[in-house]
Amino acid sequence: MKKYEWIAMNPEDTMIIAERLAALLQKGDVITLEGDLGAGKTTFTKGLAKGLHITKTVNSPTFTIIKEYFGNLPLYHMDVYRVKDSFEDLGFDEYFDGNGVCVVEWAHLIQDQLPEEYLKICLYYDKETGRKIVFSPNGTRYMQLCEELF
Ligand code: ADP
Ligand code: MG
């Protein structure tokens, strides 16, 4: 499957691509974010929020599992690091076909509970300070989205 790469030398570069992506998003879209601690998953989400004209500050939802923000579209920011098996039991999967955009940090931990189609985004440390951001579209909707974005 085709992948798309973006090199971000600083947090602003990470936010730029996220902001551009935000402009193309529709309700029901699901984005997964993978990467080591400090790779920039939350920074990327801040860029998405900016692009969706959300004025509230986005913080990591590590201890709350999900945070909701309201802009052009609702943004459901999830961090499933501590959830694992109970994700469906807690009813969080309902957000996937809801009225907004879902962003899931550490999504591989709930791999079997993800929708069939989603946009997978992996952030890697690149040399000293930069990051490499790899977009892997899963399904037609996200393949088109990436074609438009890049
Ligand atoms: P995560 O959510 O993946 O744990 P955060 O986004 O919370 O990561 O933190 C990333 C940290 O790395 C921030 O302190 C940010 O300023 C810094 N940083 C340095 N370079 C970059 C970059 N290119 N993209 C994103 N963050 C970067
Ligand atoms: Mg984070």
Side-chain angles (χ1 to χ4, degrees):
M1 198 176 292
K2 196 169 171 185
K3 291 186 179 185
Y4 302 78
E5 274 185 27
W6 176 265
I7 301 293
M9 292 311 291
N10 49 55
E12 291 71 32
D13 284 349
T14 296
M15 287 185 64
I16 285 169
I17 193 70
E19 225 179 305
R20 285 189 201 158
L21 171 63
L24 304 172
L25 293 175
Q26 299 170 357
K27 75 170 196 175
D29 282 342
V30 176
I31 294 167
T32 67
L33 290 177
E34 304 287 353
D36 292 341
L37 205 67
K41 301 182 293 298
T42 299
T43 304
F44 191 93
T45 311
K46 285 177 195 279
L48 284 177
K50 195 175 172 203
L52 292 171
H53 299 106
I54 288 162
T55 47
K56 225 176 141 187
T57 305
V58 170
N59 295 310
S60 181
T62 302
F63 296 100
T64 48
I65 305 166
I66 186 163
K67 282 193 180 174
E68 303 187 24
Y69 300 92
F70 299 94
N72 290 4
L73 284 170
L75 176 69
Y76 305 116
H77 185 200
M78 306 179 197
D79 186 321
V80 300
Y81 192 73
R82 287 179 174 76
V83 188
K84 297 173 189 170
D85 295 339
S86 57
F87 188 76
E88 250 170 12
D89 296 338
L90 291 169
F92 290 119
D93 55 322
E94 284 172 22
Y95 286 91
F96 292 147
D97 37 39
N99 283 315
V101 172
C102 287
V103 175
V104 190
E105 296 194 27
W106 301 103
H108 69 274
L109 296 173
I110 55 149
Q111 188 66 48
D112 55 339
Q113 296 162 78
L114 289 173
E116 260 176 57
E117 300 194 350
Y118 56 90
L119 175 57
K120 180 176 167 184
I121 300 176
C122 299
L123 296 101
Y124 301 96
Y125 284 88
D126 191 59
K127 297 188 191 123
E128 285 286 293
T129 54
R131 303 289 189 276
K132 185 169 79 175
I133 308 178
V134 181
F135 294 68
S136 309
N138 211 315
T140 321
R141 154 79 187 136
Y142 300 102
M143 275 151 50
Q144 285 166 355
L145 196 61
C146 285
E147 279 299 314
E148 256 188 273
L149 184 60
F150 287 90

